[in-house]
Amino acid sequence: MEHSSVILWGDFAENDGAFLVKLKDDKPILGLCNVRVSIYKGRFGISTIPVSSVLINPMFQKANDLRAWREIIKADNKDITVTPSKVMRRAIEVPLVHILDGLLADSQDCMYKFKATIVDILNKDEPWYFSCKTCHKKVKVIEEAAACTN
């Protein structure tokens, strides 16, 4: 839910743009295909090209998942305008050793960040793992069934 710029050119600006202006308060979900992606002055941007497709409130699974997520967030009265990246920018930078030693455990509501260098990836071919949907810890998969130790 972080704001990003989408620049509509040509017919997209006239047709889809006019329609989107009317829908902006409804926060429509957009599906964009064959677009140009760029980073200008550190900001991510998207712009249409002549062969682009703009889908407004599409009805496919990823869009439905996004809609459902937005409704859950609204029901919990959470502010979806404060994204994790914005929260992390406000976090206090501390040495990693302070986090590992538990020196910061007393302040539960604070967020901290640290600088680190990745020196090795244990599983370069498959750098992911299956995790529990509740606690997000790694689970063991035995005969297509996952078991969480928690």
mmCIF file of all heavy atoms in Angstrom, residues 13-28 56-57:
data_model
loop_
_atom_site.group_PDB
_atom_site.id
_atom_site.type_symbol
_atom_site.label_atom_id
_atom_site.label_comp_id
_atom_site.label_asym_id
_atom_site.label_seq_id
_atom_site.Cartn_x
_atom_site.Cartn_y
_atom_site.Cartn_z
ATOM 1 N N ALA A 13 -3.810 7.468 -20.891
ATOM 2 C CA ALA A 13 -4.034 8.673 -20.087
ATOM 3 C C ALA A 13 -5.456 9.179 -20.270
ATOM 4 O O ALA A 13 -6.121 9.559 -19.305
ATOM 5 C CB ALA A 13 -3.033 9.753 -20.471
ATOM 6 N N GLU A 14 -5.934 9.182 -21.514
ATOM 7 C CA GLU A 14 -7.267 9.706 -21.789
ATOM 8 C C GLU A 14 -8.365 8.780 -21.287
ATOM 9 O O GLU A 14 -9.301 9.219 -20.621
ATOM 10 C CB GLU A 14 -7.424 9.944 -23.289
ATOM 11 C CG GLU A 14 -6.519 11.037 -23.820
ATOM 12 C CD GLU A 14 -6.579 11.153 -25.332
ATOM 13 O OE1 GLU A 14 -7.509 10.589 -25.931
ATOM 14 O OE2 GLU A 14 -5.684 11.802 -25.892
ATOM 15 N N ASN A 15 -8.272 7.497 -21.597
ATOM 16 C CA ASN A 15 -9.341 6.561 -21.253
ATOM 17 C C ASN A 15 -9.229 6.026 -19.827
ATOM 18 O O ASN A 15 -10.091 6.290 -18.987
ATOM 19 C CB ASN A 15 -9.357 5.391 -22.248
ATOM 20 C CG ASN A 15 -9.541 5.863 -23.668
ATOM 21 O OD1 ASN A 15 -10.176 6.882 -23.929
ATOM 22 N ND2 ASN A 15 -8.962 5.147 -24.610
ATOM 23 N N ASP A 16 -8.165 5.285 -19.560
ATOM 24 C CA ASP A 16 -8.006 4.671 -18.245
ATOM 25 C C ASP A 16 -7.757 5.721 -17.165
ATOM 26 O O ASP A 16 -8.261 5.604 -16.049
ATOM 27 C CB ASP A 16 -6.853 3.668 -18.259
ATOM 28 C CG ASP A 16 -7.111 2.518 -19.228
ATOM 29 O OD1 ASP A 16 -8.245 1.998 -19.225
ATOM 30 O OD2 ASP A 16 -6.191 2.160 -19.977
ATOM 31 N N GLY A 17 -6.989 6.744 -17.505
ATOM 32 C CA GLY A 17 -6.692 7.798 -16.535
ATOM 33 C C GLY A 17 -7.933 8.510 -16.056
ATOM 34 O O GLY A 17 -8.103 8.754 -14.855
ATOM 35 N N ALA A 18 -8.830 8.844 -16.979
ATOM 36 C CA ALA A 18 -10.071 9.522 -16.602
ATOM 37 C C ALA A 18 -10.920 8.628 -15.698
ATOM 38 O O ALA A 18 -11.516 9.099 -14.725
ATOM 39 C CB ALA A 18 -10.859 9.905 -17.855
ATOM 40 N N PHE A 19 -10.944 7.338 -16.003
ATOM 41 C CA PHE A 19 -11.710 6.394 -15.191
ATOM 42 C C PHE A 19 -11.087 6.230 -13.808
ATOM 43 O O PHE A 19 -11.783 6.186 -12.794
ATOM 44 C CB PHE A 19 -11.786 5.046 -15.919
ATOM 45 C CG PHE A 19 -12.695 4.056 -15.278
ATOM 46 C CD1 PHE A 19 -14.067 4.265 -15.220
ATOM 47 C CD2 PHE A 19 -12.176 2.901 -14.719
ATOM 48 C CE1 PHE A 19 -14.907 3.341 -14.618
ATOM 49 C CE2 PHE A 19 -13.005 1.974 -14.117
ATOM 50 C CZ PHE A 19 -14.379 2.197 -14.068
ATOM 51 N N LEU A 20 -9.753 6.194 -13.746
ATOM 52 C CA LEU A 20 -9.065 6.039 -12.466
ATOM 53 C C LEU A 20 -9.238 7.253 -11.563
ATOM 54 O O LEU A 20 -9.270 7.115 -10.338
ATOM 55 C CB LEU A 20 -7.580 5.762 -12.698
ATOM 56 C CG LEU A 20 -7.246 4.359 -13.169
ATOM 57 C CD1 LEU A 20 -5.786 4.275 -13.598
ATOM 58 C CD2 LEU A 20 -7.551 3.339 -12.095
ATOM 59 N N VAL A 21 -9.312 8.426 -12.140
ATOM 60 C CA VAL A 21 -9.532 9.633 -11.334
ATOM 61 C C VAL A 21 -10.846 9.508 -10.567
ATOM 62 O O VAL A 21 -10.927 9.856 -9.396
ATOM 63 C CB VAL A 21 -9.518 10.903 -12.225
ATOM 64 C CG1 VAL A 21 -10.030 12.105 -11.473
ATOM 65 C CG2 VAL A 21 -8.117 11.154 -12.737
ATOM 66 N N LYS A 22 -11.879 8.967 -11.213
ATOM 67 C CA LYS A 22 -13.173 8.785 -10.548
ATOM 68 C C LYS A 22 -13.104 7.727 -9.447
ATOM 69 O O LYS A 22 -13.828 7.801 -8.464
ATOM 70 C CB LYS A 22 -14.234 8.380 -11.575
ATOM 71 C CG LYS A 22 -14.524 9.452 -12.599
ATOM 72 C CD LYS A 22 -15.488 8.944 -13.648
ATOM 73 C CE LYS A 22 -15.643 9.950 -14.769
ATOM 74 N NZ LYS A 22 -16.427 9.428 -15.879
ATOM 75 N N LEU A 23 -12.220 6.733 -9.613
ATOM 76 C CA LEU A 23 -12.124 5.619 -8.664
ATOM 77 C C LEU A 23 -11.073 5.810 -7.576
ATOM 78 O O LEU A 23 -10.923 4.940 -6.723
ATOM 79 C CB LEU A 23 -11.784 4.326 -9.412
ATOM 80 C CG LEU A 23 -12.829 3.722 -10.311
ATOM 81 C CD1 LEU A 23 -12.264 2.481 -10.990
ATOM 82 C CD2 LEU A 23 -14.067 3.348 -9.521
ATOM 83 N N LYS A 24 -10.338 6.910 -7.587
ATOM 84 C CA LYS A 24 -9.176 7.026 -6.704
ATOM 85 C C LYS A 24 -9.521 6.889 -5.222
ATOM 86 O O LYS A 24 -8.739 6.333 -4.465
ATOM 87 C CB LYS A 24 -8.401 8.307 -6.965
ATOM 88 C CG LYS A 24 -8.960 9.542 -6.339
ATOM 89 C CD LYS A 24 -8.026 10.713 -6.536
ATOM 90 C CE LYS A 24 -8.630 11.888 -5.813
ATOM 91 N NZ LYS A 24 -7.827 13.053 -5.859
ATOM 92 N N ASP A 25 -10.684 7.332 -4.788
ATOM 93 C CA ASP A 25 -11.054 7.192 -3.377
ATOM 94 C C ASP A 25 -11.370 5.748 -3.007
ATOM 95 O O ASP A 25 -11.288 5.370 -1.844
ATOM 96 C CB ASP A 25 -12.247 8.090 -3.044
ATOM 97 C CG ASP A 25 -11.883 9.571 -3.126
ATOM 98 O OD1 ASP A 25 -10.695 9.898 -2.925
ATOM 99 O OD2 ASP A 25 -12.780 10.389 -3.400
ATOM 100 N N ASP A 26 -11.727 4.929 -3.993
ATOM 101 C CA ASP A 26 -12.015 3.514 -3.750
ATOM 102 C C ASP A 26 -10.746 2.677 -3.692
ATOM 103 O O ASP A 26 -10.805 1.488 -3.395
ATOM 104 C CB ASP A 26 -12.924 2.958 -4.855
ATOM 105 C CG ASP A 26 -14.281 3.644 -4.868
ATOM 106 O OD1 ASP A 26 -14.687 4.175 -3.810
ATOM 107 O OD2 ASP A 26 -14.922 3.633 -5.935
ATOM 108 N N LYS A 27 -9.592 3.278 -3.992
ATOM 109 C CA LYS A 27 -8.302 2.597 -4.021
ATOM 110 C C LYS A 27 -8.386 1.311 -4.854
ATOM 111 O O LYS A 27 -8.282 0.205 -4.332
ATOM 112 C CB LYS A 27 -7.821 2.299 -2.608
ATOM 113 C CG LYS A 27 -7.610 3.552 -1.784
ATOM 114 C CD LYS A 27 -6.859 3.255 -0.527
ATOM 115 C CE LYS A 27 -6.724 4.429 0.392
ATOM 116 N NZ LYS A 27 -6.409 5.681 -0.123
ATOM 117 N N PRO A 28 -8.569 1.462 -6.161
ATOM 118 C CA PRO A 28 -8.695 0.278 -7.014
ATOM 119 C C PRO A 28 -7.387 -0.509 -7.099
ATOM 120 O O PRO A 28 -6.310 0.030 -6.883
ATOM 121 C CB PRO A 28 -9.043 0.869 -8.384
ATOM 122 C CG PRO A 28 -8.427 2.221 -8.359
ATOM 123 C CD PRO A 28 -8.563 2.700 -6.931
ATOM 124 N N ILE A 56 -8.144 -2.726 -14.477
ATOM 125 C CA ILE A 56 -8.651 -2.038 -13.297
ATOM 126 C C ILE A 56 -9.564 -2.998 -12.546
ATOM 127 O O ILE A 56 -10.529 -3.507 -13.096
ATOM 128 C CB ILE A 56 -9.400 -0.749 -13.688
ATOM 129 C CG1 ILE A 56 -8.451 0.178 -14.459
ATOM 130 C CG2 ILE A 56 -9.958 -0.052 -12.451
ATOM 131 C CD1 ILE A 56 -9.130 1.361 -15.110
ATOM 132 N N ASN A 57 -9.233 -3.235 -11.268
ATOM 133 C CA ASN A 57 -9.937 -4.208 -10.422
ATOM 134 C C ASN A 57 -10.094 -5.556 -11.123
ATOM 135 O O ASN A 57 -11.203 -6.053 -11.313
ATOM 136 C CB ASN A 57 -11.297 -3.662 -9.984
ATOM 137 C CG ASN A 57 -11.145 -2.555 -8.966
ATOM 138 O OD1 ASN A 57 -10.278 -2.603 -8.110
ATOM 139 N ND2 ASN A 57 -11.994 -1.547 -9.066
#
